Amino acid sequence: MSTDTFTPPDMPGYVGFANLPNQIHRKSVKRGFEFTLMVVGESGLGKSTLINTLFLTDLYPDRVVSSVQENLKKTVKIDVSTVEIEERGVKVRLTVVDTPGYGDAIDNTDCFQSIITYINEQFERYLQDESGLNRRHIVDNRVHCCFYFINPAGHGLKPLDVQFMKQLHNKVNIVPVIAKADTLTKIEVAKLKKKVMDEIQQHGIHVYPLPECDTDEEEDYKLQVRQLKEAVPFAVVGSATVLDVGGRKVRGRQYPWGVIEVENPQHCDFSKLRCLLGTHMQDLTEVTQEVHYENYRSDRLARGSSPLVTTNGSSHTASASSLASLGSDKKISAASLGSNGSGAGGDRMLQELQEKEAQIAKMQEMMARMQAQLQDKK
Ligand code: GDP
């Protein structure tokens, strides 16, 4: 189906949170929803502009762009902002985690370490809260989705992009986006999308798998989800400027030859990306809970009581022991969860978890036996 016929499900300017009550149990509506979105990518790719365009807020009014000198020794900062958004009676506490400094240094080998640490810290906090007394009022700060910005001027993924996604795909739902798509022609966008998807496949990267629709779902919805799937990686354009185009007020970018309309599906995939958030926010939180958080939790089981996050801000790698590596080898990927984050997928995951735990117990037994033998030999 051609992308040109995409019909955004809601009114311009809305993310579509009003759909959430259909996705989640009604009780949660009163309390509001918690959702954390992370944006990662080199600076200057339009991350803050896109976030401001998506949520019509100015989350970063005082952002200062760093000098070249600062970039030489730059470390990745984690910049957390929270806004409460209400759309037609549905409240969402939205936390945006930005990562200024990512990819800016001369040597970027460690640049995603602080991001991994941040994600692990949120899992650890949740785990601690879950096992504490006040389980009913846990604040969920886990990162539910990560928009990963790809440079439109590169010829596909850079080594840093591949490394980042490989390190993070078992921790967070990655949604790849091609930044500043207005700098590319229609054919170039199509070529770059294909190249990026080929490379994602070649490197065994799991990006967020949009769930398959149930067969009894409405045709319009099925078509919409198919169009969203086909649009990955979303080629986006951001702008918070409102322009007048033939009497219509649109958000866009004015060029000498015309206007790029951010919300026009024929110009870019912005409205599809927004639609993904609106319609799949619940699935994104479920996959976070059932896949990524469970991966973290079972890694913690495998390594005993030590958290993955250390106080000095670094995080352990899974290769610390044979037990831990067993845990990471058997990681459940979001893709392996299949059609949905719940239901049959959930059962399968539970089974996988049980199998994993049984394997770990076996390994522990074996190690205990080996240790006993070694003691005997001494
Ligand atoms: P960040 O460092 O990734 O947060 O990038 P910014 O949002 O600060 O944007 C950097 C520059 O790119 C600014 O001058 C923006 O006006 C411009 N910009 C942002 N989004 C787009 C876009 O979609 N297309 C084009 N051509 N420029 C953009």
Side-chain angles (χ1 to χ4, degrees), residues 42-49 63 180 182-183 237-238 253 255:
E42 295 160 44
S43 49
L45 284 185
K47 298 183 297 295
S48 348
T49 309
R63 167 101 13 122
K180 299 187 175 180
D182 56 325
T183 59
V237 175
R253 303 183 73 83
Y255 289 102

Side-chain angles (χ1 to χ4, degrees), residues 165 169 173-176 197 200 205-210 232 334-335:
M165 290 198 254
H169 65 177
N173 292 310
I174 298 176
V175 173
M197 286 320 282
I200 280 178
I205 294 164
H206 312 297
V207 293
Y208 168 61
L210 275 137
V232 181

Side-chain angles (χ1 to χ4, degrees), residues 258-302:
V259 171
I260 281 269
E261 294 173 28
V262 167
E263 292 175 79
N264 186 336
Q266 294 189 29
H267 290 192
C268 75
D269 296 331
F270 173 85
S271 53
K272 287 184 184 139
L273 184 65
R274 188 175 56 192
C275 170
L276 173 110
L277 273 190
T279 55
H280 287 77
M281 194 171 266
Q282 173 59 8
D283 190 62
L284 286 160
T285 50
E286 271 177 22
V287 176
T288 303
Q289 166 72 26
E290 293 170 16
V291 180
H292 303 303
Y293 177 62
E294 279 309 326
N295 274 337
Y296 179 84
R297 219 171 60 89
S298 56
D299 268 0
R300 280 276 268 114
L301 272 180

Side-chain angles (χ1 to χ4, degrees), residues 20 36 48 90 100 141 149-150 158 166 168 179 194 207 211-212 239 250 266 274 282 305 323 359 374:
L20 274 169
T36 299
S48 348
V90 180
N141 283 315
F149 283 65
I150 296 161
K158 294 182 179 178
K166 283 184 97 157
L168 274 291
K194 184 169 180 325
V207 293
E212 294 298 332
S239 167
V250 297
Q266 294 189 29
R274 188 175 56 192
Q282 173 59 8
S305 59
L323 284 183
Q359 272 181 307
L374 277 173

Side-chain angles (χ1 to χ4, degrees), residues 92-130:
V92 174
R93 194 175 67 90
L94 176 86
T95 305
V96 179
V97 183
D98 195 358
T99 53
Y102 176 85
D104 286 355
I106 302 284
D107 176 5
N108 285 303
T109 29
D110 280 337
C111 88
F112 32 73
Q113 205 50 56
S114 46
I115 300 176
I116 296 179
T117 304
Y118 181 83
I119 293 178
N120 281 339
E121 274 170 359
Q122 309 317 310
F123 282 147
E124 183 60 29
R125 210 156 107 187
Y126 197 86
L127 187 68
Q128 298 296 339
D129 285 353
E130 223 181 23

Side-chain angles (χ1 to χ4, degrees), residues 284-354:
L284 286 160
T285 50
E286 271 177 22
V287 176
T288 303
Q289 166 72 26
E290 293 170 16
V291 180
H292 303 303
Y293 177 62
E294 279 309 326
N295 274 337
Y296 179 84
R297 219 171 60 89
S298 56
D299 268 0
R300 280 276 268 114
L301 272 180
R303 74 184 61 244
S305 59
S306 68
L308 279 161
V309 185
T310 58
T311 41
N312 67 7
S314 65
S315 69
H316 297 302
T317 54
S319 59
S321 72
S322 55
L323 284 183
S325 70
L326 171 78
S328 66
D329 286 349
K330 284 279 292 170
K331 268 200 172 69
I332 307 161
S333 75
S336 74
L337 194 64
S339 61
N340 206 324
S342 56
D347 290 347
R348 196 158 60 248
M349 202 187 62
L350 197 69
Q351 200 186 336
E352 278 195 62
L353 259 181
Q354 282 165 347

